[in-house]
Amino acid sequence: MNSAPVIAAVDGSEHSLGALEWARAAALRHGTGLLIAHVLPDHAQLYAGRRAALHDASQPEKFADPVRDRILALFGGGPDFPEGVRYEALEGSVPEALRVIGAEGLMLVMGSRGRGGFATLLLGSSSRAVATTAPCPVVVIPHAERRADPADVAGEPSVGRVVLGLHAAETPDDVLEFAFAEAAARGTTVQVVSAYAIPPAPTMVIDSPFVVVPPEGLADGGDAVPAEREMVRSQTERLAPFRTRHPEVPVEQAAVPGDAAGRLVTASRSAALVVVGRHHPRRHGRSLFIGSVAHAVLQHAHGPVAVVPTLHDDA
């Protein structure tokens, strides 16, 4: 059993409870515990502090937490959470409290909008801040209005897959390892998407999000442009150690012209999860600026997105 728990950040809203359900399923897939974290709102933190100051420490009085009570109801309504599930009420700002608790997590799961978010916003400020600073992978679950109807995406090439946005030369190992581990836990395929800047050849017709090219299908001739063939070759070399480490995980490769973020957003309509690296690959791994691809995918994705930081200095 993995010792690092899946962390679900909740605020009691329906949107955050949907993220909790995603986190609960992830904990079961990975054989680990579930930690439910609720950052108390400012007024509740102030009230709790005053209550603590008025009562002797030897006779503590529990601060009422309606979010805890509501979540307990989802787990059967008993007085305590089941084995393997832990609940913590945190104090402080949302990004800072979740950044601290994220240090112990396998991943941190949260909704794209909090309780106070405007309906028109695709990504709330707290979600953006946590995805930028948390010390573990952050999975952001989009609100219901952005999700595609399963019936509309049944024939798309990314259905049920873990889609990995890869810059073959620069994406850290941690990002690839997360994608392969998630695919292994789900029993599904990793679909690798890399973009090249050269426009497609006139004979190349793109009428789907991207064309999946098996490595064995590459040839020195053919209709594919040289940049496409070179990109798939670079992918194949970069993926080799991860294929060896995870032989049970099928891999599909796609080299696409132009906009990587746009192709990943399209794939998110039907993918089980889209995985991207946190920072611009040419910036330091501890940069406070999220990369342009990760930012764009978070803003516009139709399904869950995992933003993975550089977890190891030698990655």
Side-chain angles (χ1 to χ4, degrees):
M1 183 172 180
N2 198 317
S3 59
V6 173
I7 302 173
V10 300
D11 60 10
S13 65
E14 292 299 328
H15 184 43
S16 74
L17 296 181
L20 171 59
E21 286 301 319
W22 197 98
R24 187 180 186 182
L28 291 172
R29 282 193 300 270
H30 288 275
T32 190
L34 175 64
L35 170 56
I36 305 169
H38 172 216
V39 182
L40 295 171
D42 292 341
H43 67 275
Q45 294 183 40
L46 178 62
Y47 183 54
R50 288 177 176 172
R51 290 283 291 274
L54 290 173
H55 293 83
D56 188 277
S58 64
Q59 294 180 326
E61 186 169 349
K62 179 176 173 55
F63 177 70
D65 186 347
V67 170
R68 181 182 187 276
D69 295 339
R70 185 175 186 191
I71 294 171
L72 268 172
L74 299 178
F75 286 86
D80 297 302
F81 287 98
E83 183 179 358
V85 179
R86 182 160 56 100
Y87 178 87
E88 288 196 22
L90 310 175
E91 297 184 10
S93 71
V94 171
E96 178 61 18
L98 294 180
R99 185 189 67 79
V100 172
I101 202 169
E104 63 178 275
L106 178 68
M107 66 183 79
L108 191 156
V109 184
M110 65 188 306
S112 60
R113 278 204 317 253
R115 177 184 289 277
F118 294 100
T120 54
L121 290 179
L122 304 184
L123 184 68
S125 58
S126 291
S127 303
R128 183 186 300 107
V130 173
T132 303
T133 61
C136 65
V138 175
V139 179
V140 178
I141 311 299
H143 52 87
E145 293 89 341
R146 284 213 55 80
R147 298 174 199 155
D149 187 331
D152 294 337
V153 299
E156 294 185 2
S158 300
V159 172
R161 289 159 170 74
V162 172
V163 176
L164 167 65
L166 175 68
H167 188 299
E170 297 177 339
T171 300
D173 283 359
D174 291 317
V175 182
L176 283 80
E177 180 57 36
F178 182 90
F180 272 80
E182 184 65 25
R186 290 175 174 273
T188 191
T189 298
V190 169
Q191 190 174 84
V192 185
V193 178
S194 303
Y196 59 90
I198 299 176
T203 56
M204 183 178 180
V205 178
I206 301 177
D207 56 2
S208 62
F210 43 76
V211 179
V212 176
V213 182
E216 59 272 16
L218 290 174
D220 291 335
D223 292 336
V225 297
E228 181 188 11
R229 293 199 302 270
E230 182 56 36
M231 180 62 74
V232 176
R233 286 197 180 91
S234 297
Q235 284 181 338
T236 301
E237 181 178 345
R238 185 74 171 82
L239 294 167
F242 297 92
R243 288 178 186 267
T244 300
R245 197 175 305 158
H246 299 277
E248 76 284 10
V249 176
V251 177
E252 295 174 352
Q253 295 172 233
V256 300
D259 178 19
R263 302 307 177 107
L264 293 172
V265 168
T266 300
S268 74
R269 287 167 42 85
S270 58
L273 181 68
V274 173
V275 180
V276 293
R278 173 185 291 172
H279 298 293
H280 189 289
R282 296 193 182 278
R283 291 180 179 148
H284 189 275
R286 302 297 185 261
S287 169
L288 294 179
F289 296 97
I290 197 166
S292 59
V293 171
H295 182 268
V297 175
L298 278 176
Q299 285 284 357
H300 301 291
H302 302 278
V305 177
V307 181
V308 183
T310 300
L311 301 172
H312 306 93
D313 291 336
D314 58 348

